[in-house]
Amino acid sequence: MSKPIKLCNISHYQSFIDKFDTFLLDCDGVLWRGNDIIPGFIFSFVYFIGKKLLFITNNSAKSRANYLEKFKKLNIEAYEDEIFCSSYASAYYLKNVLKFPKEKKIYIVGESGIADELALEGIRHCGLSDNNIQTFKSDDIVSDPEVGAVVCGLDRYINYTKLAKALHYLKSNSDCIFLVTNDDATFPLKDFVAPGAGSIAASIIKAVGREPDGIMGKPNKPMMDCIAQKFKLNNERTCMIGDRLETDVQFGINGGISTLAVLTGITAEKDLLVNDAPIIPDYYMTSFGDFSKLF
Amino acid sequence: MSKPIKLCNISHYQSFIDKFDTFLLDCDGVLWRGNDIIPGFIFSFVYFIGKKLLFITNNSAKSRANYLEKFKKLNIEAYEDEIFCSSYASAYYLKNVLKFPKEKKIYIVGESGIADELALEGIRHCGLSDNNIQTFKSDDIVSDPEVGAVVCGLDRYINYTKLAKALHYLKSNSDCIFLVTNDDATFPLKDFVAPGAGSIAASIIKAVGREPDGIMGKPNKPMMDCIAQKFKLNNERTCMIGDRLETDVQFGINGGISTLAVLTGITAEKDLLVNDAPIIPDYYMTSFGDFSKLF
């Protein structure tokens, strides 16, 4: 069984960077953990000047513009075009891959990040105004032939009417597309985890009795297909950097690019070196911040 | 492959009734469909005088007392003790099978039927007051060592806080019992289906990452175990009557009792007689109302 190559000195760091033109970076666990930044990571960026850096996150609640605000707060220089969150991926996929028809609209079970990104792609949407419905009334459930897709993401405003509407649109129209922004079972908060987009989607999947037509976020292929199409990736010169084996590293493997795991998130060195490790990155290093040692 | 025996004349009806002492009756699809009663079924009851009739339903939103009101409206004479809904089954199971400790309480993701039945069994509960929470606040998620079980059923007041609390109680305490009232994917309304208890539970199952410790409703064994324990069933003299193969008939088969399918619900004769039918009842007849022809 092959083992990942450990990057542990300056010469390793430099030759790793030289191997690639494009780096896909997971954020939480690589650049920050919750509100705490990973020491040294901003200085590390200096050594990536001239390289293309893309920030890839499964979060669907935020738009790219929302993410940029977070980057600014952390003093990270970034551009909206370098951010690929699952809300944007969903909008991009609907417009550019599925060629979602202009006369149709999306029913959103999710938050404003999805709505904002759909609007930017010129795709009509509805659903957010159902956030405030407290009491389910069966009269609220009516067919709407304009709804051509249901997009489900993390939804902290979930209610029974939204679930029932999603079910009804998907059941009453077999052509209605069912897209899930990402399959994360949980959503990390400061001291505990809350239900993730995958948990909200599970409810609809169970009720409808069929799997989604697409799950966008890491480790799934649709998100990578969108990134590859938009940025014209050269797989041999692209590397995914992340802390989670089953999402980040698997995402790179599924996409046919190189992978680097960092140990500042939920993966420990022993998880990588265990004999029957099911997911093995090409490289690993202690922290993305260690590239700053090139200084 | 064996085929079910069709009951289609008076002599069949009489000998069928004579074979059994106890009949477990599904309600929706057997006695009524939505608000429409099945013709003749009330006269059929005359021929079951002296037999034990139990009404078995997966509905968890109602208590037995609520069900009795529905029976009264339809002019069906019944007693609370003859009704076995999944809300009551959950309370019975917690008290009599799991011996749920008195100092603990239940977190309910569900409706008042569950709360009412738990209270009648002397089991403390919480959760219903979270129905009105519109905005999720992470400060609302705090550990509560008194919560010893999460019971999830149909919940038309579902919100993110309730899902997050259920997840937190189950994640933070591995001894916390996870009970689901029934696994119905959908809940039938007049013109369409809405998400069922199984759909609400799917969200928690996905987030927690483990299956429930028990699923009460048909076709699962725990409900039958409760009925068998409470009514001291003689399996050889007991028959389940229902319209759904995968819930009612499978429930009877799982419980080791005889089964009769009726064609007034969602099962058609061709479903029963198809060569590779996966679930085969012992008997079938057009309608439970046909027993009235004995008159």
Side-chain angles (χ1 to χ4, degrees):
Chain A
M1 199 89 170
S2 68
K3 297 282 179 195
I5 296 164
K6 183 171 188 174
L7 309 182
C8 51
N9 62 47
I10 291 176
S11 138
H12 290 164
Y13 301 153
Q14 191 60 60
S15 71
F16 169 81
I17 294 174
D18 291 344
K19 274 201 182 73
F20 304 103
D21 300 323
T22 305
F23 298 87
L24 313 185
L25 271 90
D26 176 42
C27 300
D28 202 359
V30 178
L31 307 183
W32 60 72
R33 282 197 82 164
N35 288 321
D36 303 323
I37 61 168
I38 302 291
F41 90 87
I42 290 184
F43 287 111
S44 291
F45 280 149
V46 175
Y47 302 94
F48 288 83
I49 288 172
K51 306 286 186 180
K52 190 185 281 299
L53 289 185
L54 301 173
F55 302 97
I56 314 294
T57 159
N58 271 5
N59 193 314
S60 72
K62 288 188 165 79
S63 63
R64 288 167 301 159
N66 299 147
Y67 249 93
L68 207 54
E69 286 166 29
K70 174 150 191 177
F71 276 57
K72 276 186 185 148
K73 268 188 204 156
L74 295 173
N75 280 318
I76 308 174
E77 202 185 334
Y79 299 92
E80 198 166 300
D81 215 39
E82 294 172 335
I83 299 166
F84 223 90
C85 42
S86 70
S87 54
Y88 173 61
S90 302
Y92 184 95
Y93 188 75
L94 281 160
K95 182 170 183 184
N96 299 290
V97 179
L98 299 180
K99 314 284 183 196
F100 189 73
K102 271 206 177 317
E103 68 276 13
K104 296 275 187 180
K105 65 184 175 186
I106 308 286
Y107 186 74
I108 299 173
V109 180
E111 301 194 11
S112 62
I114 299 171
D116 293 348
E117 294 293 357
L118 288 173
L120 285 171
E121 297 293 323
I123 300 173
R124 292 186 304 139
H125 59 81
C126 58
L128 259 59
S129 61
D130 293 336
N131 284 357
N132 302 319
I133 297 176
Q134 266 197 303
T135 306
F136 173 72
K137 293 191 207 79
S138 56
D139 290 349
D140 286 343
I141 312 300
V142 289
S143 296
D144 184 343
E146 283 197 352
V147 172
V150 170
V151 175
C152 176
L154 175 68
D155 190 347
R156 285 166 290 189
Y157 305 92
I158 191 66
N159 60 45
Y160 192 75
T161 301
K162 293 170 91 171
L163 293 174
K165 282 192 176 184
L167 168 61
H168 186 63
Y169 296 139
L170 291 167
K171 272 262 188 198
S172 62
N173 174 9
S174 60
D175 291 334
C176 189
I177 296 162
F178 180 19
L179 218 59
V180 173
T181 60
N182 61 302
D183 195 36
D184 296 32
T186 57
F187 177 73
L189 292 170
K190 192 165 176 287
D191 299 318
F192 57 93
V193 293
S199 164
I200 306 296
S203 181
I204 301 174
I205 292 168
K206 173 77 179 185
V208 180
R210 71 168 167 101
E211 292 299 314
D213 298 302
I215 303 174
M216 296 305 303
K218 299 173 286 184
N220 301 292
K221 198 81 177 11
M223 181 114 124
M224 185 65 89
D225 291 343
C226 293
I227 296 168
Q229 179 178 328
K230 178 165 177 176
F231 297 102
K232 298 177 180 49
L233 294 187
N234 172 355
N235 282 8
E236 303 211 335
R237 300 279 300 165
T238 303
C239 185
M240 173 73 208
I241 303 176
D243 69 310
R244 285 171 182 256
L245 299 180
E246 74 283 8
T247 48
D248 301 316
V249 172
Q250 189 64 53
F251 180 61
I253 293 169
N254 290 348
I257 63 175
S258 296
T259 53
L260 166 71
V262 296
L263 306 179
T264 42
I266 64 153
T267 301
E269 191 166 19
K270 65 174 171 48
D271 303 327
L272 290 166
L273 302 180
V274 69
N275 267 329
D276 54 351
I279 303 168
I280 303 167
D282 298 303
Y283 306 93
Y284 76 102
M285 67 193 293
T286 307
S287 165
F288 182 78
D290 288 348
F291 286 118
S292 66
K293 292 178 182 166
L294 284 166
F295 190 67
Chain B
M1 200 92 168
S2 68
K3 299 280 182 198
I5 296 164
K6 184 171 187 175
L7 310 183
C8 51
N9 62 46
I10 290 176
S11 137
H12 289 164
Y13 302 152
Q14 192 60 61
S15 71
F16 170 81
I17 294 174
D18 290 345
K19 273 200 182 74
F20 304 103
D21 300 322
T22 305
F23 298 87
L24 313 185
L25 272 89
D26 177 41
C27 301
D28 200 359
V30 178
L31 306 183
W32 59 74
R33 282 197 80 163
N35 287 322
D36 304 323
I37 61 168
I38 301 291
F41 90 85
I42 290 184
F43 288 111
S44 290
F45 281 149
V46 175
Y47 301 95
F48 289 82
I49 288 172
K51 307 286 186 180
K52 190 184 283 297
L53 289 184
L54 301 173
F55 302 97
I56 314 294
T57 161
N58 272 4
N59 193 314
S60 71
K62 289 187 164 79
S63 64
R64 289 168 299 162
N66 299 147
Y67 249 92
L68 207 54
E69 286 167 28
K70 174 153 190 172
F71 275 55
K72 276 186 185 150
K73 270 187 202 158
L74 294 172
N75 281 315
I76 307 173
E77 203 186 334
Y79 299 91
E80 199 167 300
D81 215 37
E82 293 172 335
I83 298 167
F84 223 91
C85 42
S86 69
S87 53
Y88 173 61
S90 303
Y92 184 94
Y93 188 74
L94 280 160
K95 181 170 183 183
N96 299 290
V97 179
L98 299 180
K99 314 284 183 195
F100 189 73
K102 272 206 178 313
E103 68 276 14
K104 296 276 186 180
K105 64 184 176 187
I106 308 286
Y107 185 74
I108 299 173
V109 179
E111 301 195 10
S112 63
I114 299 170
D116 293 349
E117 294 293 357
L118 287 173
L120 285 170
E121 297 293 323
I123 299 173
R124 292 187 304 139
H125 59 80
C126 57
L128 259 61
S129 62
D130 293 337
N131 284 356
N132 302 319
I133 297 176
Q134 266 197 300
T135 306
F136 173 71
K137 293 191 206 81
S138 56
D139 288 349
D140 285 344
I141 312 302
V142 288
S143 296
D144 183 344
E146 281 196 355
V147 173
V150 169
V151 175
C152 176
L154 176 68
D155 189 349
R156 285 165 291 187
Y157 306 92
I158 191 66
N159 60 44
Y160 192 75
T161 301
K162 292 169 90 170
L163 293 174
K165 281 192 177 183
L167 167 60
H168 186 64
Y169 295 139
L170 291 166
K171 272 260 188 199
S172 63
N173 174 9
S174 60
D175 291 333
C176 188
I177 296 162
F178 180 18
L179 218 59
V180 173
T181 59
N182 62 300
D183 195 35
D184 295 32
T186 58
F187 177 72
L189 292 169
K190 192 166 175 284
D191 300 317
F192 59 91
V193 294
S199 165
I200 306 298
S203 183
I204 301 173
I205 291 168
K206 173 78 179 184
V208 180
R210 71 168 167 102
E211 292 299 314
D213 298 302
I215 303 175
M216 295 306 302
K218 298 174 286 183
N220 301 294
K221 199 81 178 10
M223 182 114 121
M224 185 65 89
D225 291 343
C226 292
I227 296 169
Q229 178 178 331
K230 178 165 176 178
F231 297 101
K232 300 179 179 46
L233 294 187
N234 172 356
N235 282 9
E236 304 212 335
R237 299 281 298 165
T238 303
C239 185
M240 174 74 208
I241 303 176
D243 69 311
R244 287 171 181 255
L245 299 181
E246 74 282 10
T247 45
D248 301 317
V249 173
Q250 189 64 53
F251 180 61
I253 292 169
N254 290 348
I257 63 176
S258 296
T259 55
L260 166 72
V262 297
L263 306 179
T264 42
I266 64 153
T267 301
E269 191 166 19
K270 65 174 170 50
D271 302 328
L272 290 167
L273 301 179
V274 69
N275 266 328
D276 54 352
I279 303 168
I280 303 167
D282 298 303
Y283 307 94
Y284 77 103
M285 67 192 294
T286 307
S287 165
F288 182 78
D290 287 348
F291 286 118
S292 67
K293 293 178 181 167
L294 284 166
F295 190 65

